[in-house]
Amino acid sequence: MVIDIFHSLTGALYLTLKLSAIIIVLTIVYEIYENSKLYRTAKQLIGVPLKKLGISSNASITMITGLLLGIAYGSAILIKDSMESKMSYTDIILSAVFLSICHAVIEDTLIFVAIGANGFILLASRTALALIAVTILNRTLNK
Amino acid sequence: MQIQKTFEKIRSGLSKGAVISLKIAAYTFPLYIFVDILNQIGFITKIGRFFAPFMRLMGLPGDASVVLLTGFSINLYAAIAAMAPLHLTIKQITIIGLILGIAHNLFIETAILSRVGAKGYFVVLTRLFVAFFAGGMLNLLW
């Protein structure tokens, strides 16, 4: 049995470079986005569809942060926001279920596309599943 | 003024991004080599044989069970490092991407979500159930 270390090393290097490129570009975009007017515009834009799902506008910032940054990177904002804003029990449960199915959509999709996945299918099915799960849950909670 | 501010942001984003990349590379790089060697000596095939019947439901080879376990317990970067040496098809990579996109980094993220106020076991069970369901459906529909 011969182990080809060179094959492992070049593969590892190639993957690391690819991931680093994605991470650096995303960090720059987040850095600019964080303090821009876009943040407030996004908050207003997302309010209407959220209401249809049964999530009040108190959870807007939680949802935007989770969707774009993800749960681990966005945790500081998520925890801070949940303590400051007056989210109802329904808001918390519905946004937690939505975000646990569909979060960090930009980063997750890009890194899988980088190794060959179909990004459109990934994005569309996650969004659809999260919408379905939240709709069902909202109906049951309201009964 | 505005341009200067943006330039400043790009510079801080670049340095933060580089630091994050290094942190992530610190485990993706060795993990890739580790999994590649495990694969070369045939160990992955052994684990894979055990999970193969379950993985077949989602159109995945048994070997991919290692990728799912890595993603569930650590994170997506670790899973990608474990997946790259296995040379899967586009359909298989997309199915894994969907499953892991929904359920990953379960220990840390569940801890955070329960601090936000959601029940931990509820979140984990929902995510795993939806993830496997989605994987199976995508396999059938594709």
Side-chain angles (χ1 to χ4, degrees):
Chain A
M1 176 77 55
V2 181
I3 295 174
D4 187 355
I5 285 287
F6 183 71
H7 173 267
S8 308
L9 275 173
T10 47
L13 190 69
Y14 182 57
L15 180 77
T16 307
L17 289 178
K18 233 189 295 198
L19 293 179
S20 304
I22 295 176
I23 294 166
I24 290 176
V25 170
L26 280 180
T27 323
I28 294 174
V29 173
Y30 287 148
E31 198 69 10
I32 295 172
Y33 166 78
E34 204 177 27
N35 296 315
S36 66
K37 279 182 199 149
L38 220 74
Y39 200 67
R40 253 171 288 158
T41 320
K43 195 186 159 186
Q44 284 165 345
L45 274 179
I46 207 170
V48 181
L50 280 189
K51 198 158 274 172
K52 289 221 170 93
L53 289 172
I55 303 172
S56 79
S57 59
N58 288 338
S60 290
I61 293 185
T62 305
M63 291 292 288
I64 296 171
T65 310
L67 275 175
L68 296 179
L69 287 179
I71 295 174
Y73 289 129
S75 60
I77 308 176
L78 286 181
I79 292 172
K80 191 175 119 242
D81 188 56
S82 73
M83 290 193 299
E84 284 171 359
S85 73
K86 296 186 178 63
M87 284 198 276
S88 67
Y89 180 72
T90 322
D91 282 342
I92 292 174
I93 288 288
L94 292 181
S95 45
V97 167
F98 191 98
L99 287 181
S100 53
I101 297 172
C102 189
H103 63 256
V105 285
I106 300 173
E107 185 187 340
D108 288 5
T109 307
L110 276 182
I111 58 176
F112 274 101
V113 167
I115 55 163
N118 182 323
F120 176 74
I121 294 184
L122 282 183
L123 204 56
S125 15
R126 287 180 75 186
T127 316
L129 279 169
L131 289 176
I132 295 170
V134 168
T135 313
I136 295 174
L137 198 64
N138 189 27
R139 293 247 169 96
T140 22
L141 283 177
N142 277 339
K143 255 179 197 164
Chain B
M1 189 65 198
Q2 194 60 40
I3 295 168
Q4 208 176 8
K5 240 182 180 173
T6 311
F7 187 71
E8 194 53 45
K9 291 278 172 227
I10 292 176
R11 232 182 42 184
S12 75
L14 198 66
S15 63
K16 276 187 199 169
V19 172
I20 298 172
S21 298
L22 271 179
K23 274 186 190 159
I24 289 174
Y27 60 82
T28 53
F29 193 83
L31 194 71
Y32 180 101
I33 294 172
F34 181 66
V35 173
D36 197 42
I37 289 172
L38 284 186
N39 197 21
Q40 287 183 32
I41 62 174
F43 187 71
I44 303 263
T45 322
K46 272 186 193 152
I47 301 177
R49 227 169 267 153
F50 179 76
F51 287 107
F54 178 64
M55 299 297 284
R56 204 171 298 135
L57 294 175
M58 293 166 291
L60 297 173
D63 291 8
S65 55
V66 178
V67 180
L68 292 188
L69 291 175
T70 313
F72 288 156
S73 50
I74 311 175
N75 62 28
L76 290 182
Y77 289 100
I80 282 174
M83 170 158 59
L86 299 179
H87 300 291
L88 304 169
T89 67
I90 290 179
K91 180 179 170 182
Q92 288 164 342
I93 294 175
T94 308
I95 291 176
I96 292 177
L98 182 61
I99 294 174
L100 285 181
I102 296 168
H104 57 246
N105 201 357
L106 290 174
F107 294 115
I108 292 177
E109 290 192 350
T110 306
I112 294 167
L113 282 176
S114 29
R115 280 194 62 189
V116 176
K119 288 196 179 70
Y121 68 91
F122 179 73
V123 173
V124 171
L125 287 180
T126 312
R127 289 177 79 172
L128 285 177
F129 176 77
V130 176
F132 286 129
F133 175 76
M137 285 303 281
L138 185 54
N139 178 39
L140 288 178
L141 293 175
W142 191 323

